[in-house]
Amino acid sequence: MPTYSTNEFRKGLKIQIDGIPFQMVEMNFRKPGKGNALYECKLKNLIRGTVTDKTYRAGQTVEAADVSEFTAQFLYKQGEGFIFMKSDDYEQYELTGEQIGDEAKFLKEGMECSLIVFDNNPIGATLPNHVVLQVEYCEPAVKGNTATGVSKSVKLESGAEILAPAFINIGDWLRVDTRTQSYIERAKDPNES
């Protein structure tokens, strides 16, 4: 199994500790007055999603994680599972809502996502940063209520609820940031050419 030395540490590096894959979220180099340099790392457990702090001395090595990512299309939700299909060989994978996290409420059939696989088992999915979804329900806009900063709750076609400006109506298409789960702007109907 390949290894990484501390001088190869960087944000986004995927390593394995006791058979569990972690991703380096943050890495800080510190050189105390005496002794070896230290590498202070924040590591995200790719299976559970928890974040751990770990410190390494200069020259230490860690095992590389056998983690791969590929493009997959979200097909449908079946019970508590989310079914994805790999684009090139049509192989299907199932993830739980817990594995996907809060972003699951923005999934729409046919959406292209990035599937994360560890030891040939899917452990997570990354949605596009921005998605375009239609407003399924919201309170009607009050005429004359166009003051900036006024927002209301809207329900999107995927089932997600977000805050959007007061001028948004049922049937509008919105661009939403899946990372912050917030409204960005109105968008054009993606089905129109």
Side-chain angles (χ1 to χ4, degrees):
M1 179 77 54
T3 59
Y4 294 111
S5 178
T6 50
N7 63 345
E8 297 174 285
F9 282 8
R10 66 187 185 288
K11 187 178 177 179
L13 188 70
K14 293 178 178 74
I15 64 171
Q16 185 171 308
I17 302 171
D18 299 327
I20 299 169
F22 287 86
Q23 181 172 3
M24 213 167 273
V25 180
E26 191 178 306
M27 193 280 299
N28 294 308
F29 174 79
R30 189 166 58 88
K31 176 79 171 115
K34 287 184 176 180
N36 289 346
L38 300 174
Y39 292 82
E40 297 168 339
C41 306
K42 281 193 186 295
L43 303 171
K44 180 181 179 185
N45 183 318
L46 290 175
I47 295 175
R48 282 188 249 131
T50 56
V51 176
T52 302
D53 291 328
K54 195 144 174 81
T55 302
Y56 294 94
R57 294 193 184 285
Q60 281 185 295
T61 59
V62 292
E63 205 173 323
D66 181 23
V67 175
S68 60
E69 287 188 53
F70 54 82
T71 302
Q73 185 180 43
F74 172 61
L75 296 179
Y76 56 90
K77 184 175 183 202
Q78 179 177 322
E80 294 300 310
F82 294 83
I83 311 301
F84 292 85
M85 180 180 67
K86 192 172 178 182
S87 303
D88 58 357
D89 65 3
Y90 307 112
E91 190 173 337
Q92 292 188 7
Y93 297 88
E94 183 174 352
L95 290 169
T96 64
E98 191 176 278
Q99 288 174 309
I100 299 171
D102 286 345
E103 293 179 344
K105 61 187 170 193
F106 295 106
L107 278 172
K108 183 178 171 183
E109 290 181 8
M111 183 181 285
E112 295 278 320
C113 300
S114 181
L115 223 58
I116 304 165
V117 177
F118 175 67
D119 283 341
N120 296 321
N121 294 317
I123 59 171
T126 305
L127 274 66
N129 292 340
H130 302 138
V131 294
V132 175
L133 297 168
Q134 191 170 27
V135 175
E136 193 174 81
Y137 177 78
C138 66
E139 293 297 323
V142 178
K143 197 168 188 127
N145 192 1
T146 57
T148 56
V150 177
S151 60
K152 62 182 178 183
S153 180
V154 298
K155 184 175 181 181
L156 303 172
E157 63 181 309
S158 64
E161 288 193 31
I162 64 166
L163 289 176
F167 58 79
I168 299 298
N169 294 307
I170 295 173
D172 286 352
W173 290 89
L174 306 182
R175 187 174 316 282
V176 178
D177 189 322
T178 57
R179 299 163 298 181
T180 60
Q181 302 182 13
S182 60
Y183 165 87
I184 298 173
E185 63 185 0
R186 272 202 273 199
K188 292 182 179 171
D189 183 344
N191 303 318
E192 290 179 4
S193 306

